[in-house]
Amino acid sequence: MHRCVPETAGRQTAVVKRSTIPLTMVMVAAMVVSTFQLFTLAVLAADIIEEFGLSRGQLGWLGAANSGVGAVLAPRLGSITDKIGPKRSTGLVFLLSGVGLLLTAGAGSYLVLVIASLISGVPQGWSNSATNKLIATRLGPDERGLVIGFKQSGVQLSVFLAGLTLPAFASSIGWPTGLLWISIGCFAMGAASWWALGPDQAIHSSLTSQKSSPESTGRLPVFVYQVAVYALLVGFASGGVGRFLPLFANEKLGFSLSTAGFVVAFQGVVGMVARLLWGRAAESSVPLRGSLFAMAFGGVSAIGLLLIAETVGGWVLYPAVIIQAFTLSAWNVVANLAMIKSVPSNLSGRATGIMMFAFLAGLTVSSPLVGWLV
């Protein structure tokens, strides 16, 4: 895999430059809001099941609606990103995320929850293409690895915020009211991000003027499809684990809702550190193929610990989520960097869209399947 990806010459810069901090913050925020509704369903699983009278399978279908729409639309959204530019695409990610959270907050029936999940799936499938395009067109090769680590840590920050805030909202002002305020914050962040980004063509325009080649004229390397297959398998493995972990802790290990939420928040914090470390390592000398293999092996280990948790004790959940944070949750740092390195910037949105289609397809299948098996 590393033979397929051109390495940048010279020694890599392992710091985020001050001038890139606003751009990095926008991308982190975009990843937070685009995934928040999905983590809301996981953290509030017990409350949602009770309030709407759902089965575990129906809860799984909510997650499947989100990731399924994201999977189906991701390749097309990637192509749209290449056409309309990363600023407009990122702005639409914030807008649609806010709408999805607003509908979730006001849902009075299971049908409305399904519609909210379908809408939330659009930014879920779009965010990586939009933010990868920002990196490909606005940052030099020596800045991308660590910035991708920060950017992808936004997903884990979303996990942390959902696990920390939603149980507290549920026990105080009610989770619908809490989500209402979060959706308003989402719209506000979108407006601030639109102002902070500036025009697409004004920044690092020289990075987008590449010579014509077979790849830059529309043909993607086989490498992109290899990573997509890997993404499909990771999505299938992690979908059921991540989506039902809080419910498993609550129902099978005797954790309270708040403690189960803390486990999710803890995983989010560890995941942020893991993604930053992987971003730095992947940009320097760590082979990409070896990194993805190690992550797959670690993911198997994490699931193995979950299998014995009921027998050994709930404490096993903590080492399991630590390993998961460094493997199943961090794989896309390496994969997104590989997408940016392996294709010209004018095709980065499309390449990322194909990878996200595969990953979200795995999530879509595994979530209702695990819920039905439970």
Side-chain angles (χ1 to χ4, degrees):
M1 182 178 292
H2 56 282
R3 290 195 298 265
C4 302
V5 182
E7 298 293 338
T8 53
R11 192 173 181 84
Q12 301 298 327
T13 303
V15 295
V16 176
K17 297 178 181 178
R18 182 175 297 180
S19 60
T20 67
I21 290 177
L23 175 64
T24 304
M25 292 177 64
V26 168
M27 292 190 289
V28 170
M31 299 307 294
V32 169
V33 300
S34 65
T35 55
F36 198 86
Q37 199 262 359
L38 194 61
F39 299 133
T40 295
L41 298 176
V43 172
L44 296 176
D47 283 355
I48 291 174
I49 286 174
E50 181 179 357
E51 182 169 339
F52 292 92
L54 307 182
S55 67
R56 275 67 181 160
Q58 286 177 305
L59 180 69
W61 279 112
L62 289 176
N66 181 307
S67 54
V69 166
V72 171
L73 295 182
R76 179 58 181 161
L77 293 171
S79 297
I80 290 174
T81 299
D82 289 332
K83 292 178 181 178
I84 70 174
K87 179 180 178 178
R88 291 186 181 90
S89 300
T90 304
L92 288 169
V93 165
F94 279 101
L95 177 63
L96 292 170
S97 298
V99 171
L101 288 173
L102 191 62
L103 277 177
T104 304
S109 67
Y110 180 67
L111 176 60
V112 178
L113 280 178
V114 172
I115 294 172
S117 297
L118 291 171
I119 293 174
S120 298
V122 179
Q124 165 85 333
W126 203 344
S127 55
N128 271 288
S129 295
T131 52
N132 279 3
K133 190 74 172 182
L134 283 171
I135 292 172
T137 58
R138 299 191 179 207
L139 297 179
D142 63 336
E143 302 172 286
R144 293 172 179 173
L146 194 56
V147 170
I148 285 180
F150 273 105
K151 188 259 287 190
Q152 293 303 132
S153 72
V155 179
Q156 294 304 300
L157 179 59
S158 182
V159 173
F160 171 76
L161 292 174
L164 187 68
T165 62
L166 292 176
F169 284 144
S171 61
S172 56
I173 61 176
W175 65 263
T177 304
L179 274 185
L180 173 63
W181 284 108
I182 291 172
S183 68
I184 293 173
C186 182
F187 293 128
M189 284 190 291
S193 297
W194 183 266
W195 172 80
L197 285 177
D200 279 332
Q201 66 273 19
I203 304 174
H204 289 276
S205 58
S206 61
L207 292 174
T208 61
S209 57
Q210 302 187 19
K211 295 181 179 180
S212 178
S213 65
E215 288 82 7
S216 64
T217 54
R219 185 176 180 180
L220 295 174
V222 175
F223 168 73
V224 172
Y225 300 97
Q226 292 174 334
V227 175
V229 172
Y230 181 94
L232 173 69
L233 298 175
V234 172
F236 188 82
S238 62
V241 175
R243 204 152 294 164
F244 288 94
L245 184 64
L247 194 63
F248 172 70
N250 180 242
E251 292 187 342
K252 294 297 184 180
L253 301 181
F255 287 32
S256 67
L257 183 62
S258 297
T259 306
F262 172 78
V263 172
V264 176
F266 173 73
Q267 182 188 11
V269 172
V270 177
M272 283 186 276
V273 175
R275 292 182 180 213
L276 292 176
L277 293 177
W278 273 113
R280 182 172 180 175
E283 185 66 270
S284 55
S285 58
V286 177
L288 297 178
R289 186 184 297 274
S291 299
L292 292 175
F293 178 82
M295 288 176 167
F297 180 80
V300 172
S301 303
I303 294 175
L305 288 176
L306 293 177
L307 289 174
I308 63 172
E310 285 188 80
T311 303
V312 176
W315 65 269
V316 173
L317 211 58
Y318 291 95
V321 298
I322 291 174
I323 296 173
Q324 184 182 346
F326 275 88
T327 56
L328 293 178
S329 296
W331 72 277
N332 53 17
V333 175
V334 178
N336 275 290
L337 181 60
M339 290 298 98
I340 292 174
K341 279 185 164 185
S342 65
V343 300
S345 63
N346 64 309
L347 295 178
S348 60
R350 180 180 161 201
T352 304
I354 290 173
M355 179 187 72
M356 291 308 299
F357 161 74
F359 174 65
L360 293 174
L363 289 181
T364 302
V365 173
S366 64
S367 181
L369 179 60
V370 171
W372 174 76
L373 288 172
V374 171

